[in-house]
mmCIF file with all atom_site columns, all heavy atoms in Angstrom:
data_model
loop_
_atom_site.group_PDB
_atom_site.id
_atom_site.type_symbol
_atom_site.label_atom_id
_atom_site.label_alt_id
_atom_site.label_comp_id
_atom_site.label_asym_id
_atom_site.label_entity_id
_atom_site.label_seq_id
_atom_site.pdbx_PDB_ins_code
_atom_site.Cartn_x
_atom_site.Cartn_y
_atom_site.Cartn_z
_atom_site.occupancy
_atom_site.B_iso_or_equiv
_atom_site.pdbx_formal_charge
_atom_site.auth_seq_id
_atom_site.auth_comp_id
_atom_site.auth_asym_id
_atom_site.auth_atom_id
_atom_site.pdbx_PDB_model_num
ATOM 1  N N   . ALA A 1 50 ? 3.063  36.727 -5.323 1.00 0.00 ? 50 ALA A N   1
ATOM 2  C CA  . ALA A 1 50 ? 2.097  35.969 -4.529 1.00 0.00 ? 50 ALA A CA  1
ATOM 3  C C   . ALA A 1 50 ? 2.695  34.653 -4.038 1.00 0.00 ? 50 ALA A C   1
ATOM 4  O O   . ALA A 1 50 ? 2.383  34.187 -2.939 1.00 0.00 ? 50 ALA A O   1
ATOM 5  C CB  . ALA A 1 50 ? 0.833  35.696 -5.349 1.00 0.00 ? 50 ALA A CB  1
ATOM 6  N N   . LYS A 1 51 ? 3.550  34.055 -4.857 1.00 0.00 ? 51 LYS A N   1
ATOM 7  C CA  . LYS A 1 51 ? 4.173  32.791 -4.449 1.00 0.00 ? 51 LYS A CA  1
ATOM 8  C C   . LYS A 1 51 ? 5.036  33.000 -3.208 1.00 0.00 ? 51 LYS A C   1
ATOM 9  O O   . LYS A 1 51 ? 4.968  32.219 -2.257 1.00 0.00 ? 51 LYS A O   1
ATOM 10 C CB  . LYS A 1 51 ? 5.009  32.215 -5.586 1.00 0.00 ? 51 LYS A CB  1
ATOM 11 C CG  . LYS A 1 51 ? 5.686  30.901 -5.229 1.00 0.00 ? 51 LYS A CG  1
ATOM 12 C CD  . LYS A 1 51 ? 6.443  30.316 -6.426 1.00 0.00 ? 51 LYS A CD  1
ATOM 13 C CE  . LYS A 1 51 ? 7.104  28.992 -6.069 1.00 0.00 ? 51 LYS A CE  1
ATOM 14 N NZ  . LYS A 1 51 ? 7.821  28.404 -7.231 1.00 0.00 ? 51 LYS A NZ  1
ATOM 15 N N   . SER A 1 52 ? 5.837  34.054 -3.216 1.00 0.00 ? 52 SER A N   1
ATOM 16 C CA  . SER A 1 52 ? 6.710  34.332 -2.070 1.00 0.00 ? 52 SER A CA  1
ATOM 17 C C   . SER A 1 52 ? 5.898  34.662 -0.823 1.00 0.00 ? 52 SER A C   1
ATOM 18 O O   . SER A 1 52 ? 6.198  34.193 0.276  1.00 0.00 ? 52 SER A O   1
ATOM 19 C CB  . SER A 1 52 ? 7.653  35.486 -2.401 1.00 0.00 ? 52 SER A CB  1
ATOM 20 O OG  . SER A 1 52 ? 8.485  35.783 -1.310 1.00 0.00 ? 52 SER A OG  1
ATOM 21 N N   . ILE A 1 53 ? 4.836  35.475 -1.002 1.00 0.00 ? 53 ILE A N   1
ATOM 22 C CA  . ILE A 1 53 ? 4.001  35.847 0.139  1.00 0.00 ? 53 ILE A CA  1
ATOM 23 C C   . ILE A 1 53 ? 3.353  34.612 0.754  1.00 0.00 ? 53 ILE A C   1
ATOM 24 O O   . ILE A 1 53 ? 3.425  34.384 1.969  1.00 0.00 ? 53 ILE A O   1
ATOM 25 C CB  . ILE A 1 53 ? 2.920  36.849 -0.303 1.00 0.00 ? 53 ILE A CB  1
ATOM 26 C CG1 . ILE A 1 53 ? 3.562  38.163 -0.758 1.00 0.00 ? 53 ILE A CG1 1
ATOM 27 C CG2 . ILE A 1 53 ? 1.926  37.107 0.835  1.00 0.00 ? 53 ILE A CG2 1
ATOM 28 C CD1 . ILE A 1 53 ? 2.616  39.068 -1.509 1.00 0.00 ? 53 ILE A CD1 1
ATOM 29 N N   . CYS A 1 54 ? 2.722  33.816 -0.114 1.00 0.00 ? 54 CYS A N   1
ATOM 30 C CA  . CYS A 1 54 ? 2.002  32.646 0.391  1.00 0.00 ? 54 CYS A CA  1
ATOM 31 C C   . CYS A 1 54 ? 2.952  31.626 1.014  1.00 0.00 ? 54 CYS A C   1
ATOM 32 O O   . CYS A 1 54 ? 2.619  30.995 2.030  1.00 0.00 ? 54 CYS A O   1
ATOM 33 C CB  . CYS A 1 54 ? 1.201  32.006 -0.734 1.00 0.00 ? 54 CYS A CB  1
ATOM 34 S SG  . CYS A 1 54 ? -0.140 33.056 -1.359 1.00 0.00 ? 54 CYS A SG  1
ATOM 35 N N   . MET A 1 55 ? 4.140  31.452 0.418  1.00 0.00 ? 55 MET A N   1
ATOM 36 C CA  . MET A 1 55 ? 5.073  30.477 0.961  1.00 0.00 ? 55 MET A CA  1
ATOM 37 C C   . MET A 1 55 ? 5.640  30.942 2.307  1.00 0.00 ? 55 MET A C   1
ATOM 38 O O   . MET A 1 55 ? 5.651  30.186 3.288  1.00 0.00 ? 55 MET A O   1
ATOM 39 C CB  . MET A 1 55 ? 6.211  30.213 -0.016 1.00 0.00 ? 55 MET A CB  1
ATOM 40 C CG  . MET A 1 55 ? 7.211  29.193 0.508  1.00 0.00 ? 55 MET A CG  1
ATOM 41 S SD  . MET A 1 55 ? 8.433  28.737 -0.725 1.00 0.00 ? 55 MET A SD  1
ATOM 42 C CE  . MET A 1 55 ? 9.202  30.306 -1.039 1.00 0.00 ? 55 MET A CE  1
ATOM 43 N N   . ASN A 1 56 ? 6.097  32.200 2.363  1.00 0.00 ? 56 ASN A N   1
ATOM 44 C CA  . ASN A 1 56 ? 6.699  32.688 3.606  1.00 0.00 ? 56 ASN A CA  1
ATOM 45 C C   . ASN A 1 56 ? 5.676  32.735 4.740  1.00 0.00 ? 56 ASN A C   1
ATOM 46 O O   . ASN A 1 56 ? 5.954  32.301 5.853  1.00 0.00 ? 56 ASN A O   1
ATOM 47 C CB  . ASN A 1 56 ? 7.314  34.069 3.374  1.00 0.00 ? 56 ASN A CB  1
ATOM 48 C CG  . ASN A 1 56 ? 8.702  34.001 2.775  1.00 0.00 ? 56 ASN A CG  1
ATOM 49 O OD1 . ASN A 1 56 ? 9.668  33.692 3.458  1.00 0.00 ? 56 ASN A OD1 1
ATOM 50 N ND2 . ASN A 1 56 ? 8.794  34.255 1.483  1.00 0.00 ? 56 ASN A ND2 1
ATOM 51 N N   . HIS A 1 57 ? 4.501  33.258 4.436  1.00 0.00 ? 57 HIS A N   1
ATOM 52 C CA  . HIS A 1 57 ? 3.474  33.306 5.473  1.00 0.00 ? 57 HIS A CA  1
ATOM 53 C C   . HIS A 1 57 ? 3.006  31.903 5.841  1.00 0.00 ? 57 HIS A C   1
ATOM 54 O O   . HIS A 1 57 ? 2.788  31.594 7.017  1.00 0.00 ? 57 HIS A O   1
ATOM 55 C CB  . HIS A 1 57 ? 2.292  34.146 5.008  1.00 0.00 ? 57 HIS A CB  1
ATOM 56 C CG  . HIS A 1 57 ? 1.191  34.216 6.009  1.00 0.00 ? 57 HIS A CG  1
ATOM 57 N ND1 . HIS A 1 57 ? 0.044  33.447 5.929  1.00 0.00 ? 57 HIS A ND1 1
ATOM 58 C CD2 . HIS A 1 57 ? 1.058  34.956 7.146  1.00 0.00 ? 57 HIS A CD2 1
ATOM 59 C CE1 . HIS A 1 57 ? -0.733 33.710 6.941  1.00 0.00 ? 57 HIS A CE1 1
ATOM 60 N NE2 . HIS A 1 57 ? -0.165 34.623 7.698  1.00 0.00 ? 57 HIS A NE2 1
ATOM 61 N N   . GLY A 1 58 ? 2.872  31.047 4.830  1.00 0.00 ? 58 GLY A N   1
ATOM 62 C CA  . GLY A 1 58 ? 2.424  29.680 5.082  1.00 0.00 ? 58 GLY A CA  1
ATOM 63 C C   . GLY A 1 58 ? 3.389  28.908 5.965  1.00 0.00 ? 58 GLY A C   1
ATOM 64 O O   . GLY A 1 58 ? 2.964  28.146 6.846  1.00 0.00 ? 58 GLY A O   1
ATOM 65 N N   . LEU A 1 59 ? 4.689  29.108 5.760  1.00 0.00 ? 59 LEU A N   1
ATOM 66 C CA  . LEU A 1 59 ? 5.682  28.422 6.587  1.00 0.00 ? 59 LEU A CA  1
ATOM 67 C C   . LEU A 1 59 ? 5.626  28.913 8.032  1.00 0.00 ? 59 LEU A C   1
ATOM 68 O O   . LEU A 1 59 ? 5.683  28.119 8.973  1.00 0.00 ? 59 LEU A O   1
ATOM 69 C CB  . LEU A 1 59 ? 7.078  28.635 6.011  1.00 0.00 ? 59 LEU A CB  1
ATOM 70 C CG  . LEU A 1 59 ? 7.390  27.886 4.707  1.00 0.00 ? 59 LEU A CG  1
ATOM 71 C CD1 . LEU A 1 59 ? 8.696  28.390 4.094  1.00 0.00 ? 59 LEU A CD1 1
ATOM 72 C CD2 . LEU A 1 59 ? 7.466  26.384 4.948  1.00 0.00 ? 59 LEU A CD2 1
ATOM 73 N N   . ALA A 1 60 ? 5.507  30.230 8.196  1.00 0.00 ? 60 ALA A N   1
ATOM 74 C CA  . ALA A 1 60 ? 5.432  30.776 9.561  1.00 0.00 ? 60 ALA A CA  1
ATOM 75 C C   . ALA A 1 60 ? 4.203  30.250 10.278 1.00 0.00 ? 60 ALA A C   1
ATOM 76 O O   . ALA A 1 60 ? 4.262  29.876 11.454 1.00 0.00 ? 60 ALA A O   1
ATOM 77 C CB  . ALA A 1 60 ? 5.412  32.300 9.508  1.00 0.00 ? 60 ALA A CB  1
ATOM 78 N N   . ARG A 1 61 ? 3.090  30.187 9.567  1.00 0.00 ? 61 ARG A N   1
ATOM 79 C CA  . ARG A 1 61 ? 1.857  29.687 10.178 1.00 0.00 ? 61 ARG A CA  1
ATOM 80 C C   . ARG A 1 61 ? 1.967  28.200 10.491 1.00 0.00 ? 61 ARG A C   1
ATOM 81 O O   . ARG A 1 61 ? 1.530  27.741 11.544 1.00 0.00 ? 61 ARG A O   1
ATOM 82 C CB  . ARG A 1 61 ? 0.686  29.949 9.232  1.00 0.00 ? 61 ARG A CB  1
ATOM 83 C CG  . ARG A 1 61 ? -0.680 29.534 9.789  1.00 0.00 ? 61 ARG A CG  1
ATOM 84 C CD  . ARG A 1 61 ? -1.761 29.850 8.772  1.00 0.00 ? 61 ARG A CD  1
ATOM 85 N NE  . ARG A 1 61 ? -1.466 29.194 7.506  1.00 0.00 ? 61 ARG A NE  1
ATOM 86 C CZ  . ARG A 1 61 ? -1.993 29.562 6.336  1.00 0.00 ? 61 ARG A CZ  1
ATOM 87 N NH1 . ARG A 1 61 ? -2.800 30.606 6.282  1.00 0.00 ? 61 ARG A NH1 1
ATOM 88 N NH2 . ARG A 1 61 ? -1.693 28.911 5.237  1.00 0.00 ? 61 ARG A NH2 1
#
Side-chain angles (χ1 to χ4, degrees):
K51 180 176 181 179
S52 179
I53 295 166
C54 294
M55 180 173 60
N56 277 284
H57 179 260
L59 288 169
R61 183 179 56 200

